[in-house]
Amino acid sequence: MLENHQDANSVTTLTLEQRNAWAREQIELKARLIEFDDFDFEKIIKENESFFFSNLNYIGGVDISFVQDNDEDAVASLVVLKFPSLEVVYEDFKALKMNLPYIAGFLAFREVLPLLDLIEKLKSTNSDIFPQVILVDGNGVLHPRRFGLASHLGVLANVPTVGVGKNFLQIDDGEHLTMAHMKKISKEVLNKGGDVYYLKGDSGSLWGAAVRSLDNTTNPIFVSVGHRISLESAIQLVLQCCRFRVPEPTRQADLRSREFIRKRLNLTINLSGDTT
């Protein structure tokens, strides 16, 4: 059964007043955002200046998939993987109806509550495998107000989070953060797996990084701080989770939510993905 996921702010058409209210809420919540390492595992630096993570046992991934040609019926998913083996040890899903349209810059108000419900359920029922960090299919500080879905979720859940976008969100901060420049960088700078291009604007702000996951992938992913983790740690963590272009935690959350739709709901899937 699809749950009707709606709150007092749910409306069919968002007014300018509503958008402004949401923007203010993002700014208020951002005051609680932590953009440095604040997690319960260790980051150990090697001689070659790369590093590995010690005492990191469980890592989570979240995603939401929609039914094809339908922007209301959806399934939220949460998976937990052992680290570093990346074996999936937990999965949970929540079928729901979205009553808010997708509005760029306000994705969290559409998607954060069902993801938060799954996280809180896991915490109360299987706390022994609760993830020490969660990868989110969506942006963190790579966002017009530096507070995208990954940051919003991390602050509300008080969990370290990393934003992983599959598509580039253009930011109004100079020509280096335009789509045209990003296409150029993808061809000229990101030549092999592990290559990184830092997304720095004319303002001096560091928004995130374009990352080539593997030698055999061509399109980059876009990594940003979510909450309670630094950008460098986020990048290295994502790379250590990549068997394909997209890191396994969000990849498995995506694949399994689509399978849930096919098997449980007997519906087809919308392959589009929003990241803000």
Side-chain angles (χ1 to χ4, degrees):
M1 178 179 294
L2 292 170
E3 178 179 339
N4 189 356
H5 211 279
Q6 182 176 0
D7 63 22
N9 289 328
S10 294
V11 290
T12 301
T13 303
L14 293 182
T15 63
L16 178 59
E17 182 180 3
Q18 180 66 70
R19 295 188 192 208
N20 289 339
W22 279 354
R24 289 193 298 271
E25 184 174 343
Q26 287 174 327
I27 292 169
E28 290 172 1
L29 286 172
K30 190 175 70 171
R32 295 156 52 185
L33 185 67
I34 297 172
E35 297 186 48
F36 54 83
D37 291 336
D38 180 32
F39 39 63
D40 65 357
F41 49 95
E42 295 181 73
K43 181 173 70 175
I44 300 176
I45 301 175
K46 301 179 182 178
E47 291 183 1
N48 62 0
E49 296 186 354
S50 65
F51 49 84
F52 67 94
F53 299 100
S54 177
N55 300 320
L56 174 56
N57 301 310
Y58 296 104
I59 183 167
V62 293
D63 187 31
I64 291 184
S65 293
F66 286 82
V67 175
Q68 186 173 3
D69 300 323
N70 181 335
D71 61 359
E72 291 186 352
D73 295 329
V75 170
S77 62
L78 165 66
V79 298
V80 178
L81 291 75
K82 281 187 178 180
F83 187 87
S85 69
L86 302 180
E87 172 193 357
V88 177
V89 295
Y90 176 91
E91 62 177 19
D92 195 14
F93 308 94
K94 186 168 190 170
L96 58 139
K97 275 189 176 291
M98 298 281 193
N99 291 295
L100 291 171
Y102 166 69
I103 303 293
F106 298 102
L107 180 65
F109 293 95
R110 176 175 164 93
E111 298 193 355
V112 75
L113 289 180
L115 297 177
L116 190 61
D117 288 345
L118 290 172
I119 291 171
E120 293 300 326
K121 178 183 174 183
L122 171 61
K123 185 182 294 185
S124 64
T125 59
N126 291 276
S127 60
D128 56 320
I129 59 168
F130 191 80
Q132 295 156 277
V133 58
I134 297 175
L135 272 57
V136 180
D137 181 27
N139 292 321
V141 301
L142 180 55
H143 179 272
R145 286 168 295 283
R146 296 184 65 87
F147 200 73
L149 174 61
S151 296
H152 204 132
L153 180 65
V155 166
L156 291 182
N158 192 26
V159 174
T161 54
V162 176
V164 184
K166 297 187 289 291
N167 303 304
F168 177 60
L169 175 66
Q170 185 165 303
I171 299 293
D172 185 16
D173 191 12
E175 64 179 16
H176 290 94
L177 296 179
T178 63
M179 186 65 70
H181 184 73
M182 201 50 52
K183 289 180 179 178
K184 180 180 178 182
I185 288 301
S186 296
K187 295 179 180 179
E188 297 180 0
V189 177
L190 303 177
N191 299 313
K192 64 183 185 304
D195 282 352
V196 174
Y197 177 78
Y198 291 96
L199 303 173
K200 191 172 184 179
D202 287 353
S203 68
S205 296
L206 184 60
W207 298 87
V211 178
R212 180 163 176 170
S213 308
L214 304 165
D215 290 340
N216 62 355
T217 60
T218 53
N219 294 326
I221 53 176
F222 300 93
V223 178
S224 56
V225 170
H227 181 52
R228 293 177 54 186
I229 193 168
S230 66
L231 181 59
E232 285 298 333
S233 294
I235 292 169
Q236 291 300 317
L237 181 62
V238 166
L239 284 171
Q240 291 181 34
C241 289
C242 283
R243 293 175 174 170
F244 299 88
R245 175 186 172 228
V246 176
E248 281 300 291
T250 51
R251 178 175 174 270
Q252 289 296 329
D254 174 62
L255 290 173
R256 289 164 187 258
S257 63
R258 297 178 189 279
E259 187 66 14
F260 182 93
I261 290 175
R262 280 190 291 264
K263 287 186 174 181
R264 304 288 182 87
L265 302 182
N266 196 27
L267 297 167
T268 53
I269 305 160
N270 183 346
L271 296 180
S272 66
D274 301 317
T275 60
T276 59

